[in-house]
C-alpha cells in the first residue's frame, strides 16, 4: 500500500479519501483553509505544513478543489506543490476546472520531470460515497495505468480520453449536455402541462423513443414529483457552465443554448433556488410560463 | 377483418396502410392530390370520390397528412369527412399537427355523434416500414381500445396519454426534447473537438453517465461519422418546432431554447442543409465555430 | 376630390379614413365583420355589398386589416376585391402583413391590369389620429406618385423603399429593431437597478452617447416612470415578430435575438401583461431577476 | 496646476494624459509593464519606482488599465497604490472593470482615509484623442467636484451617476445597449436584404421613426458601406459583455440577449473578425443567413 497526498478534503474529497484509506492507503494532507473531518483523522490522516512539503515527501498527489484559482494557488502559489515536484512524481487533479488552464498547469508540472493527469469526476456526493463516480481522464497511458488502481477505488466508469486537458474538456462537454437536456425536458414538460396534458403520462410515453435519456428518467421524475433536494446544486452547475462559456470565448466557439441556459439558472438564483438540485431549473421556466408542471 | 378509410398515402401513410392490408384489412381512400402508389393498388386499394363519401361508407377513417391546414381541409372543407360522419364512426388522425386545433376538430367531430382520436407517431419512414412506430394517442379509453388493434399493426410503443389533443401535445413535447438534445450534443462535441479532444472518445466516455441518451448514442455517432442522410429531415423538424412555438405563443409559454434551436435550423436551411438528417444541426454550430467536429 | 374604397375601419383605419374625409374625399366601404363607427357615417361614409362591388365601382382601394389571412380573404375570397379589378385601378394595402405573401398578392393583382402598393405604417393609434404616421411603401414610382397625395393626408415620414413587398419588409425590419432595442434597454436598466444604481440617472448618463435612441428616450422613461398604458400593445408586437420569424424561416435567415425576444413577450402574456405597451417587456426581465427597475 | 499620478498609458491613457499635460499639469507614472510613449516623455512625463511611491508622493492618482485584475494588482498588489494612500488623497479609476469589485476596492481605499471615484469612459480612441469622451462617474459629490476639472480636459458628456460602483454599472449598461442595438440593426438589415429590399433605403426609411438610434445611423451605415476598421474592436466589446454576464451571475440577473450576443461575437472571433469594429457583428449574422447585407 502507498502513501498518497490528498489536498481538498471537502464534500467530495472526504469520501474519496476514505475509500483510499479503507483500501489500506496512508493519506496525508497539507494545512489548508478548512480542517479535515474527524472521520479521516480517525482513520489515520496525517498532516504536513505545506503543499510543497507534501510534494517533497510523496510520489502521488491528488487534488480535489473547488475551482481553477484554488488549483493554481495550491500548485503554483507560495510553497505550492510545484516547488516540491521532480522525476517520478505524479499530480492527479480530480477537480473540475478550466481545460485551457489545465494544459498550462500540466506543461509546467512536466518541466519538473513529474507527470500530470486531469481526472474530473461526475456523479456528485452520492457517487463519491458509493465509489461509483465517472472519471474522465487526460494524460499519458503510462500515468493513467499508474493511477488506475486508485481510480478504481473511487469510481466505476473510468475512461482515458486523451492527453492532459482532455479529461477537463470531457467534463465540460458532460455538463453542457446535462444542463441542456434538463432544460429540454423542462420546456417539454411545461409545454405539455400548460397545454392540458398529464406530465407524468407524457414522460412515460416519451421514455420509449428518441427522447429517452437518463435525464428524462431521473430529472424528469424529480420535476413531476417536486423532489428538488440535491443531488447536484444549481450553483455548482452554474460554475461548470461558466467554464464552458469562458472556454468557448477563448477558443472561438459559439454555444448559444449553453449561454441561454446559464441565464435561466440566473433566474433560479434570483428567486432563491440556487441551492436546489439542477432539475430545479424547471422552476425558472414555470415562472416564465406562470404555470407549474405539477 | 374491417374496411378502413385512409387519407394521406404518402411516404409514411403508404407503408402504414400496407401493414393494414397485410393483416387482411380492406383499405379505401378518396381522390386526393397525389395518386396512391401502385403497391397499394396491387393489394386491393379502392377509391371513392370524396372524403365525405368515405365517411359515409365506412366506420373508421385514418388520416396521415402533412400539416394542420391539410387536416382541416380534409375534415371540414368542401365534401369533407365531417359531412359524412355520424354515430358510431371514428376518426383517427395520425398526422402531426397543432394540439390546439386538434381539440377544436375533435369537438366538432364529436357533435356529429362520431368520436376522434389524435395519434401522431414518431420513428419516421423506417419506423413506418418496420411497423415499429411510437404512437402517442389522445382520446377516450373506449375509442382507444377500438383503435388499438390497428395501432398494433403499425407501431410498438403505444400509449394513451389523455383525452383529445394530448397525443399531439406529447408529440410536440417529443420533438422539443429531440431537437434540443441534438443541439446539446452538437454544442458538446463542437466544444470538445475544437478544444483538442477526440470527439469519438469523448462521446464514449459520456455514454455511461447522466449525459447518456438515445440521441447521444445514435445522432452523436452520426455527427462523428458524418452520416447525415435521413432519417428525419431538418425541414420536417422545423415544421414540428413551429407547432411548438405557435402553441407556446397561443398558450403563454416561453420556450427559449426551442426558439433558439429553430433559428439554428434556419442556418442549416440557409446553407443548403435542410434535406439532411436532423443530426445535421451540428453543421450549423460547426459553421459558427469555423471548425468541424470530425 | 376622389371617391376611395377603404376596407378595415378599426382603431387605425377609422382616424385614417377621417383624414381623407376631412380633405374632401368620399369614402366608401364594403360590409365587413365590424360595423363602421358613427363618426365616419356622420361624415358621409357610404356602403356597398362586397369588396368586389367596391373594386368595380372605384379606382382606388385602401386596405387596413389585422393580418395576412384577412387581407387574403378580402382580396381573393368569395366576392373579393380581385374579382372587380382591372386596368387603371390601384390597391393600396396599408396593413402590416407577410412580405412574402404580399409579393404574391401583388403579382396576382397586376395580372388584372391593376397595380398594387404595400404601404404599412408605424406610429400607432396616436400617429393615425395626428396624421403623423411613418409610411413605408413598396411599388412602382408611378403608383407611388398617384398614392402620395393620400399618404400625405395620413402620415409624415413617407418613403418609397422599392417594389412590391419592400414596404412590408421595411415594416418588419422596423419592428425587429424596435422590439430588440426595447429589450436591450430593459436588460440595461434591470442590470443597473439591481446592481444598486439609480436607473433614471443611468438613463440620463446614457442619452448623450452611442446608446442613445428614441427607444431609450421614450420607452426607457416609461420603464422608470411605470407608465405602461399603450401606446403599442405587446400582443400586436408579438404578431409582428411572428411575421419576422415566419419570414426568416421561409427565406433561410437566422434571427436569434428576435426569436428570444418573442419568447420574452410570451412571459408577459403568461403573466397577464399582453395588453400593456411594449415597453412593458421590461416586466418579463424584472420577473426573471426578481427585481423591479423602479 | 497640479501634479497627477497616471497609471496605464496605453492606447486610451496616452492621449488622455497628453490633454492633462497640455493644460499644464505635471504627469508622473510608475514603472509598469509597457514603457510610456515618447510623446509623453517629450512633454515632461516623470517616473517613480512603484505605484506605492506614486501614491505617497501625490494627491491624485488616475488609473486607465485593461481589466479588473490589472486594477486589483496596481492597487493592492506588492507595492500597490493602496500602501501609499492616506487622508486627502483621491484614486480615480477610469478603466472599465467589474462594478462589484469596484465597490470592494472603494471600500478598502476609503479605510485609509483616501477617497475613490470610478469614472469609466466611452467614445474609444477617437474620443480620447478629441477629448470628447463620455465619462460616467461614481463617487461622492465632493470628490466628483474635485475631479471635474480634470474630467473636462478629457471628455464632454460627464455625469455623476451615484456612489462608487455606479459609474462602472453605467458603463456596463451602456455596453449592453450598444451591443444589443448593433445586433438588432444587424438582424433587421440581413432580413431586409435577403428578403430582396435595398438595405440602404430601408435604413433611411427607418431613421425617422421609433427605430432610430445613433447605432442605426453610424453602425448601420458601416454595415452597408462595409467599413469595418475600428472604431471599437469586437474583442474589447466581448470583454465588456463578459463584465455584464459575470455581474449578472453574481447579482442574480438574467440577461438573455446579452448572453446570445456574446455568443455571436464568438462567431466573429472564430472566423477571424475579432479585430473588426463591433459593427462587424453583422458578419456573424450574414454567415448564418449565407447572405451579405451589401
Amino acid at each position: 500500500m502507498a502513501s498518497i497526498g490528498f489536498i481538498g478534503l471537502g464534500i467530495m474529497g472526504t469520501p474519496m479519501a476514505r475509500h483510499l484509506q479503507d483500501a489500506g492507503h496512508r493519506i496525508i494532507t497539507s494545512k489548508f483553509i478548512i480542517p479535515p473531518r474527524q472521520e479521516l483523522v480517525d482513520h489515520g490522516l496525517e498532516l504536513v505544513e505545506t503543499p510543497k512539503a507534501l510534494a517533497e515527501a510523496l510520489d502521488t498527489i491528488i487534488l480535489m478543489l473547488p475551482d481553477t484559482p484554488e488549483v493554481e494557488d495550491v500548485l503554483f502559489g507560495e510553497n505550492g506543490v510545484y516547488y516540491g515536484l521532480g522525476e517520478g512524481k505524479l499530480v492527479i487533479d480530480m477537480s473540475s476546472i478550466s481545460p485551457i488552464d489545465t494544459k498550462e498547469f500540466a506543461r509546467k508540472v512536466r518541466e519538473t520531470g513529474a507527470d500530470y493527469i486531469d481526472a474530473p469526476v461526475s456523479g456528485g456526493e452520492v457517487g463519491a460515497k458509493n465509489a461509483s463516480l465517472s472519471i474522465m481522464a487526460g494524460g499519458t497511458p503510462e500515468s493513467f495505468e499508474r493511477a488506475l488502481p486508485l481510480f478504481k477505488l473511487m469510481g466505476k466508469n473510468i475512461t482515458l480520453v486523451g492527453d492532459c486537458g482532455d479529461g477537463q474538456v470531457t467534463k465540460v462537454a458532460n455538463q453542457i449536455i446535462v444542463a441542456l437536456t434538463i432544460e429540454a425536458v423542462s420546456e417539454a414538460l411545461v409545454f405539455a402541462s400548460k397545454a392540458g396534458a398529464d406530465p407524468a403520462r407524457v414522460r412515460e410515453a416519451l421514455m420509449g423513443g428518441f427522447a429517452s435519456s437518463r435525464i428524462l428518467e431521473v430529472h424528469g421524475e424529480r420535476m413531476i414529483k417536486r423532489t428538488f433536494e440535491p443531488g447536484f446544486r444549481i450553483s455548482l452547475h452554474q460554475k461548470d457552465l461558466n467554464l464552458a462559456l469562458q472556454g468557448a470565448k477563448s477558443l472561438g466557439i459559439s454555444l448559444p443554448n449553453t449561454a441561454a441556459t446559464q441565464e435561466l439558472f440566473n433566474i433560479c438564483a434570483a428567486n432563491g433556488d440556487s441551492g436546489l438540485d439542477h432539475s430545479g431549473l424547471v422552476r425558472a421556466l414555470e415562472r416564465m410560463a406562470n404555470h407549474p408542471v405539477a
Side-chain angles (χ1 to χ4, degrees), chain A:
Chain A
M1 291 298 102
S3 296
I4 297 164
F6 200 118
I7 301 178
L9 295 166
I11 291 172
M12 295 291 292
T14 297
M16 290 163 70
R18 282 288 298 111
H19 293 305
L20 299 178
Q21 287 181 327
D22 283 348
H25 294 294
R26 186 176 153 232
I27 302 297
I28 309 168
T29 192
S30 70
K31 284 189 182 161
F32 199 71
I33 314 166
I34 304 162
R37 311 226 181 142
Q38 191 56 37
E39 57 171 319
L40 287 162
V41 179
D42 292 347
H43 287 82
L45 181 73
E46 295 168 47
L47 202 69
V48 300
E49 273 303 304
T50 64
K52 181 185 172 192
L54 205 65
E56 285 169 345
L58 301 169
D59 283 350
T60 304
I61 311 287
I62 296 176
L63 309 183
M64 189 64 190
L65 293 159
D67 207 346
T68 314
E70 288 84 357
V71 173
E72 183 163 25
D73 189 43
V74 163
L75 288 177
F76 305 105
E78 215 184 326
N79 287 311
V81 165
Y82 176 78
Y83 304 101
L85 290 176
E87 204 70 43
K89 294 181 188 274
L90 177 63
V91 173
I92 306 173
D93 181 22
M94 304 189 77
S95 324
S96 290
I97 68 163
S98 158
I100 298 164
D101 289 328
T102 289
K103 290 183 191 182
E104 181 59 16
F105 297 167
R107 195 188 56 72
K108 282 192 194 167
V109 163
R110 284 173 173 175
E111 283 176 359
T112 69
D115 203 3
Y116 190 99
I117 296 184
D118 49 304
V121 306
S122 84
E125 196 181 343
V126 172
K129 285 185 175 159
N130 297 346
S132 66
L133 294 167
S134 289
I135 302 178
M136 299 155 261
T140 60
E142 296 69 33
S143 292
F144 180 73
E145 281 312 310
R146 181 172 153 193
L148 193 54
L150 301 177
F151 290 158
K152 283 184 172 163
L153 296 171
M154 299 183 278
K156 285 236 165 80
N157 185 25
I158 302 161
T159 321
L160 177 65
V161 181
D163 204 350
C164 285
D166 289 353
Q168 298 294 356
V169 166
T170 305
K171 176 68 190 289
V172 167
N174 185 73
Q175 295 303 77
I176 289 173
I177 293 179
V178 170
L180 271 56
T181 309
I182 289 175
E183 205 281 338
V185 170
S186 298
E187 291 200 12
L189 292 185
V190 169
F191 182 92
S193 177
K194 193 159 186 184
D198 175 344
R201 289 162 83 177
V202 169
R203 174 179 158 278
E204 263 170 67
L206 298 183
M207 279 303 295
F210 269 115
S212 72
S213 65
R214 281 290 301 283
I215 298 293
L216 179 63
E217 192 188 334
V218 177
H219 298 75
E221 190 178 40
R222 278 171 168 273
M223 294 175 199
I224 291 163
K225 298 208 173 150
R226 318 306 284 175
T227 51
F228 295 128
E229 66 279 9
F232 188 75
R233 276 175 224 287
I234 283 172
S235 55
L236 290 172
H237 214 144
Q238 286 192 283
K239 182 212 116 183
D240 290 343
L241 293 194
N242 202 40
L243 289 178
L245 293 167
Q246 297 301 321
K249 186 155 74 77
S250 299
L251 297 166
I253 303 168
S254 186
L255 301 179
N257 287 10
T258 300
T261 303
Q262 183 76 316
E263 299 308 304
L264 294 174
F265 276 138
N266 285 355
I267 299 177
C268 296
N271 289 278
D273 286 352
S274 46
L276 298 187
D277 182 72
H278 50 175
S279 55
L281 176 63
V282 73
R283 286 169 55 90
L285 289 150
E286 291 175 342
R287 210 173 288 278
M288 293 157 84
N290 195 21
H291 178 90
V293 161

